[in-house]
Amino acid sequence: MSQQLPDRSLFPKHIGVIMDGNGRWANERNLSRTQGHKVGAKVFEDITRYCAKIGIDYITFYAFSTENWKRPLKEVNFLMSLFDNELTRAFKLKAQNEKDGICMNFIGDIESLPKTLQILINKTRTEKKETTKTVSTIAINYGSQQEILNATKKICEEYKNEKISLDKLDVSNFNNYLYTNEMPPVDLMIRTGGEKRLSNYLLWQSAYSELYFTDVYWPDFDTDELDKAIIEFSNRNRRFGDVKEDKFES
Ligand code: FPP
């Protein structure tokens, strides 16, 4: 049953999503893990469309981590071909997506992906425009520790070449060296599938995220489930290290 969403001013501006549970969802139905991923890809599309409809500025999906290469080759190959198919579809729908206010974006170590996938990513990526309602980002071959390390290396290089002075470096401009440099921090981090960890995902960007864990497997996650997460987010008391009490008792 759908519930009443709060006023848009109370929406998270940026939602991060760890789409977990595809394999278990499939196992419980005597299906192959790959079928779970296939249904998961459809859910990704539905949730992106819904975000544009209700006005979530940014949503960033964890599709493949730098550690996912450790999975059986058959599963990795399947996921790569699933990404190929999904992006081919997104490319065909590019004009429609732009009309619907969806901007497609990608983060991660794209250059180490198979060449065909790199080409598709470059063809599918769109620019953020005045008419954009949601920026839907797919994190693929993404690892947060690697991202932070690479940012640090770039800064060292710039320091060595006297392009940056260390006293000018702060939390805000460190952000410029990350894949997410044009995005606001993650307000709400959703993980489906029952595990309660961040798994090397957007660690810098989620410093003050509200964390939302649900047992629902990703293939069963739908717009009602997203509504629930947004409603819970709107009821959280975010303090960012500050205090909100009127009185201070010693
Ligand atoms: C985690 O579930 C899921 C993944 C590693 C893959 C996620 C990819 C998709 C949902 C496809 C999305 C496609 C696009 C283009 C965004 P798991 O396999 O770890 O599940 P388990 O924990 O139940 O085994």
Side-chain angles (χ1 to χ4, degrees), residues 201-217:
Y201 189 48
L202 300 175
L203 302 179
W204 176 278
Q205 299 83 344
S206 64
Y208 278 100
S209 283
E210 293 300 323
L211 307 180
Y212 181 88
F213 299 108
T214 169
D215 288 338
V216 172
Y217 294 143

Side-chain angles (χ1 to χ4, degrees), residues 19-25 27 33 36-42 44 61-65 68 71 75 79 82-83 86-87 138 191 193 195 217-218:
M19 308 181 281
D20 198 12
N22 294 343
R24 280 165 288 159
W25 179 90
N27 281 344
R33 293 178 55 81
H37 293 315
K38 229 176 180 169
V39 178
K42 165 83 174 63
F44 149 78
F61 298 90
Y62 204 8
F64 196 85
S65 75
N68 284 151
R71 292 190 174 208
E75 181 162 341
L79 281 169
L82 180 67
F83 297 143
E86 267 303 301
L87 298 197
I138 301 178
R191 182 174 188 139
E195 310 286 4
Y217 294 143
W218 179 249

Side-chain angles (χ1 to χ4, degrees), residues 235-250:
N235 289 320
R236 298 260 180 108
N237 179 6
R238 302 188 82 197
R239 293 190 296 277
F240 301 95
D242 201 348
V243 279
K244 287 277 159 67
E245 273 89 358
D246 291 333
K247 280 186 271 174
F248 183 78
E249 287 171 31
S250 58

Side-chain angles (χ1 to χ4, degrees), residues 221-244:
F221 194 85
D222 58 13
T223 56
D224 281 353
E225 292 297 334
L226 184 63
D227 285 354
K228 271 195 224 166
I230 295 172
I231 291 166
E232 180 164 329
F233 171 82
S234 70
N235 289 320
R236 298 260 180 108
N237 179 6
R238 302 188 82 197
R239 293 190 296 277
F240 301 95
D242 201 348
V243 279
K244 287 277 159 67

